[in-house]
């Protein structure tokens, strides 16, 4: 079985982003970029399935600017076999991403598509569900455990009330949650080796997908800032202030 | 045109988040119909019909809807979609699972996690873990939206909407329910609790988390939350996680104990009315947003707090 893993290049999770003062967006100049952490978990899971003999090939795909090649090389250094870069400088919305991934899926015919449940930049949490819909496949979102068999995948999902387990007919789409695994670090030799692994360059037009935005972004602003309050000296003072001053006890 | 609101429910009753998502729906404006899909879900439908401002409740009762699996539920909503220009739901694990699938099947964009209704087609939503707020205008004919319920008050009762049965759609056979963990706690739900007591990695173990946090929570009548670090370490179950990718909460009182305050955690609780931080490290970032900060060892402070309440 082949596993396809879509990955996104995003602002590193440790970066405190800055909103441009003119309201036109977030300043991404000279900011550290990394693979979306949830996608890193998806790459790791695909590699573990391959290492367990459940899959033969792990193909990673990214839709984004030329620099998204770095993200793909990271996945290749972790152990993915080959990569596809669908190059565009447009901000591509989840629906258009899902349409491109559908076309990639139809060309590659994977048994499973594994991807992060959400990207930590736009926080949309849509792409996996949309991709499953467009392909007419089942979806196992927010996975904390994935058990792959030849014709079905059993997915344990992190839901509001705890855990839910579903079984999906293959092929299927699974989106990863935080507790699925801890991604490995790429070793230096593997980083060197990854530079020589195959990377296929495409454009959205190759797949006949228009990336025009359906959502008009009117403004991006700083959230209302919360001010630090006071330090209290003791538990007794805390309880007293919560009762009398804040009125919440 | 009308608005379709997907209900979160457990058949016996309606989730509090639906009454909050209803508030957003009413602000968008138009007849609001609530869809209750499930098995033996009439009590939930009746609860929905009592909410103020609801024009109609649609009740779809088929075994396929029992566990709110995305595939049959999305097909059902798509079959109803021609009658609506807005389809929305709370950004719960069900709403987040089902509605993007609906949007893709309708070939429209989804606006996720709205925190404010600016107009019928324009909304505010957080990006980058809430470190920026985007105002977006949806240009598609049908708008599919999930609502961040912590940002909207619940609509009260006072309605008496008719309950109409709706035709089920054919089962698609893509997915099958296998099992679920039963909710074990009789504490308030995180999403709707008035008070939340959250613990972090500083608790040190599952045993200490239970021993130190739970009695104080019960004395406060509080829901229990946890930081990602505490959940990852196995001190608390996943559904207690508060943060960017966990639950987003805005209680009257949020007490963070032994939580340093990573931006991902702050994203989940910074809209709480009053924030208390108890931490041994006086430089912990949590103090920058706390209304009341106590620099103390939690193993000393928590027993004192329990006694003082």
């Amino acid at each position: 079985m082949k596993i396809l893993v879509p990955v996104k290049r995003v602002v590193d999770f440790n970066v405190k982003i800055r909103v441009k003062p003119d309201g036109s967006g977030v300043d991404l100049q000279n900011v550290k970029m990394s693979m979306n952490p949830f996608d890193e978990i998806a790459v790791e899971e695909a590699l573990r399935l391959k290492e367990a003999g459940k899959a033969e090939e792990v193909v990673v795909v990214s839709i984004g600017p030329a620099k998204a090649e770095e993200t793909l090389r990271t996945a290749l250094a972790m152990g993915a076999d080959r990569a596809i870069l669908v190059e565009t400088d447009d901000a591509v919305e989840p629906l258009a991403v899902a349409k491109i991934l559908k076309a990639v899926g139809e060309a590659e015919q994977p048994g499973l598509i594994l991807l992060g449940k959400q990207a930590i930049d736009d926080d949309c949490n849509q792409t996996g569900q949309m991709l499953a819909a467009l392909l007419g496949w089942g979806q196992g979102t927010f996975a904390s455990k994935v058990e792959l068999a030849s014709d079905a995948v059993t997915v344990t999902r992190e839901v509001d009330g705890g855990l839910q387990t579903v079984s999906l007919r293959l092929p299927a789409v699974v989106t990863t949650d935080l507790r699925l695994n801890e991604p490995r670090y790429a070793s230096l030799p593997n980083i060197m080796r990854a530079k020589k692994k195959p990377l296929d360059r495409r454009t959205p037009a190759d797949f006949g997908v228009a990336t025009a935005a359906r959502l008009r972004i009117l403004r991006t602003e700083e959230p209302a800032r919360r001010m630090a309050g006071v330090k209290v000296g003791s538990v007794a003072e805390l309880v007293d202030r919560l009762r009398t001053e804040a009125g919440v006890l | 045109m009308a608005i379709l609101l997907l209900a979160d429910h457990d058949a016996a009753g309606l989730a509090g988040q639906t009454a909050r998502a209803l508030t957003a729906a009413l602000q968008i404006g138009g007849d609001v119909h609530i869809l209750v899909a499930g098995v033996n879900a009439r009590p939930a439908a009746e609860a929905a019909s009592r909410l103020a401002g609801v024009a109609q409740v649609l009740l779809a009762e088929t075994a396929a809807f029992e566990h709110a699996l995305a595939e049959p539920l999305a097909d059902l909503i798509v079959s109803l979609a021609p009658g609506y220009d807005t389809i929305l739901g709370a950004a719960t694990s069900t709403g987040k699972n089902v509605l993007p699938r609906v949007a893709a099947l309708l070939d429209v964009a989804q606006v996720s996690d709205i925190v404010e209704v600016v107009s019928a087609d324009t909304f505010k939503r957080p990006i980058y873990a809430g470190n920026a707020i985007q105002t977006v205008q949806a240009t598609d004919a049908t708008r599919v939206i999930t609502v961040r319920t912590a940002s909207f008050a619940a609509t009260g009762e006072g309605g008496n909407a008719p309950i109409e049965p709706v035709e089920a759609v054919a089962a698609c056979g893509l997915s099958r329910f296998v099992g679920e963990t039963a909710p074990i706690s009789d504490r308030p739900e995180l999403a709707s609790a008035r008070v939340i007591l959250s613990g972090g990695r500083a608790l040190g173990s599952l045993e200490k988390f239970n021993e130190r946090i739970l009695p104080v929570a019960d004395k406060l009548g509080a829901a229990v939350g946890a930081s990602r670090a505490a959940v990852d370490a196995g001190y608390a179950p996943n559904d207690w996680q508060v943060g960017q990718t966990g639950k987003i909460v805005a209680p009257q009182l949020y007490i963070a104990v032994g939580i340093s305050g990573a931006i991902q955690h702050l994203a989940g609780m910074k809209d709480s009315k009053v924030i208390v931080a108890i931490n041994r490290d006086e430089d912990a970032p949590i103090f920058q947003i706390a209304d009341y900060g106590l620099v103390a060892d939690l193993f000393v402070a928590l027993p004192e707090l329990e006694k003082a309440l």
Side-chain angles (χ1 to χ4, degrees):
Chain A
M1 185 187 300
K2 186 193 288 184
I3 302 178
L4 183 68
V5 185
V7 297
K8 186 177 185 185
R9 179 178 186 264
V10 299
V11 170
D12 187 83
F13 79 101
N14 269 319
V15 171
K16 172 97 173 66
I17 56 104
R18 230 172 42 85
V19 177
K20 291 183 194 164
D22 64 358
S24 66
V26 170
D27 191 356
L28 297 180
Q29 294 283 315
N30 304 317
V31 167
K32 185 183 177 203
M33 305 292 281
S34 298
M35 190 190 305
N36 179 42
F38 290 95
D39 298 340
E40 218 175 339
I41 293 169
V43 172
E44 176 65 34
E45 193 67 14
L47 295 175
R48 289 187 190 188
L49 289 168
K50 187 186 167 188
E51 286 158 1
K54 304 271 175 71
E56 286 82 49
E57 191 184 23
V58 175
V59 180
V60 288
V61 53
S62 191
I63 297 151
K67 282 199 165 169
E69 178 175 345
E70 291 168 10
T71 309
L72 289 168
R73 294 284 173 204
T74 303
L76 293 171
M78 288 171 73
D81 297 292
R82 61 187 172 86
I84 302 165
L85 172 59
V86 183
E87 201 178 320
T88 171
D89 286 326
D90 296 342
V92 190
E93 291 174 354
L95 181 62
V97 169
K99 287 179 179 179
I100 295 168
L101 292 176
K102 173 184 187 244
V104 173
E106 283 165 350
E108 294 284 341
Q109 298 282 315
L112 183 68
I113 301 181
L114 262 169
L115 71 167
K117 74 166 182 179
Q118 85 190 59
I120 60 162
D121 51 3
D122 61 24
D123 283 334
C124 276
N125 195 334
Q126 299 174 5
T127 303
Q129 297 89 315
M130 288 182 156
L131 176 59
L134 296 178
L135 286 164
W137 295 1
Q139 66 188 52
T141 50
F142 326 144
S144 65
K145 190 173 174 196
V146 175
E147 293 161 283
L148 187 60
S150 59
D151 59 345
V153 59
T154 304
V155 181
T156 301
R157 310 176 51 230
E158 294 200 353
V159 296
D160 290 347
L163 298 170
Q164 183 194 57
T165 305
V166 295
S167 172
L168 309 171
R169 203 169 74 196
L170 292 178
V173 174
V174 171
T175 76
T176 58
D177 216 315
L178 294 168
R179 255 77 57 183
L180 184 57
N181 60 50
E182 255 184 66
R184 68 194 67 187
Y185 290 102
S187 67
L188 192 58
N190 284 343
I191 291 170
M192 301 310 288
R193 237 168 264 145
K195 291 183 178 164
K196 298 202 178 77
K197 286 189 179 177
L199 185 144
D200 185 16
R201 282 170 207 282
R202 311 293 292 272
T203 67
D206 293 343
F207 301 104
V209 176
T211 55
R214 307 284 195 90
L215 298 179
R216 205 169 288 146
I217 298 167
L218 303 180
R219 194 175 164 74
T220 305
E221 60 203 330
E222 292 251 9
R225 207 173 280 281
R226 198 172 177 120
M227 290 303 170
V230 296
K231 289 260 171 68
V232 295
S234 67
V235 168
E237 186 190 346
L238 174 65
V239 171
D240 181 55
R241 284 197 182 225
L242 289 176
R243 282 208 175 109
T244 54
E245 197 172 86
V248 288
L249 276 187
Chain B
M1 275 259 273
I3 298 174
L4 184 66
L5 167 59
L6 172 65
D8 279 87
H9 67 90
D10 64 357
L14 198 64
Q17 285 114 305
T18 299
R20 291 168 177 264
L22 173 61
T23 304
L26 293 168
Q27 287 175 9
I28 290 168
D31 277 358
V32 178
H33 298 180
I34 296 186
L35 171 63
V36 176
V39 170
N40 300 323
R42 181 157 284 271
E46 284 166 358
S49 78
R50 288 193 296 270
L51 290 174
V54 176
Q56 196 175 78
V57 175
L58 305 177
L59 179 57
E61 290 192 287
T62 313
F65 303 137
E66 186 171 4
H67 302 288
L69 298 183
E71 300 83 359
L73 203 44
D75 287 349
L76 172 68
I77 296 170
V78 169
S79 76
L80 300 169
Y84 300 94
D85 59 7
T86 302
I87 298 170
L88 84 174
T92 55
S93 51
T94 298
K96 289 190 281 196
N97 190 31
V98 174
L99 289 170
R101 191 171 177 102
V102 170
L105 292 172
L106 296 174
D107 191 25
V108 303
Q110 173 178 295
V111 186
S112 293
D113 245 344
I114 64 164
V115 295
E116 191 181 320
V117 175
V118 177
S119 70
D121 65 359
T122 304
F123 311 94
K124 289 192 179 183
R125 62 175 303 267
I127 55 174
Y128 291 97
N131 286 302
I133 306 292
Q134 217 171 41
T135 305
V136 297
Q137 183 177 29
T139 61
D140 289 309
T142 307
R143 290 176 287 274
V144 177
I145 297 162
T146 61
V147 178
R148 176 169 289 192
T149 52
S151 301
F152 294 88
T155 294
E157 296 200 340
N160 184 20
I163 299 173
E164 304 287 343
V166 290
E167 292 278 326
V169 292
C172 55
L174 292 171
S175 59
R176 185 171 55 81
F177 173 81
V178 176
E180 66 195 342
T181 52
I184 37 166
S185 162
D186 46 12
R187 290 191 190 90
E189 256 199 324
L190 258 181
S192 50
R194 209 185 65 81
V195 180
I196 294 174
L197 178 64
S198 275
R201 186 161 40 191
L203 269 302
S205 71
L206 170 67
E207 293 69 33
K208 288 199 184 113
F209 194 102
N210 288 341
E211 191 182 299
R212 300 297 180 171
I213 295 286
L214 303 190
V216 185
D218 290 342
K219 209 141 179 205
L220 283 163
V224 180
S227 68
R228 178 193 168 182
V231 176
D232 282 0
Y235 306 168
N238 64 280
D239 49 314
W240 290 5
Q241 187 186 323
V242 171
Q244 180 185 17
T245 65
K247 293 210 167 86
I248 313 283
V249 298
Q252 292 291 301
L253 173 60
Y254 187 93
I255 306 178
V257 180
I259 292 176
S260 62
I263 49 177
Q264 290 81 6
H265 186 77
L266 303 187
M269 44 65 80
K270 67 183 165 65
D271 294 327
S272 304
K273 181 163 174 268
V274 174
I275 296 174
V276 171
I278 301 175
N279 204 301
R280 211 166 48 176
D281 173 10
E282 63 177 314
D283 297 322
I286 189 84
F287 288 123
Q288 291 165 19
I289 63 154
D291 299 288
Y292 299 101
L294 175 64
V295 180
D297 183 339
L298 66 92
F299 294 106
V300 177
L302 279 175
E304 279 182 29
L305 182 58
E306 190 186 345
K307 265 187 233 130
L309 291 169

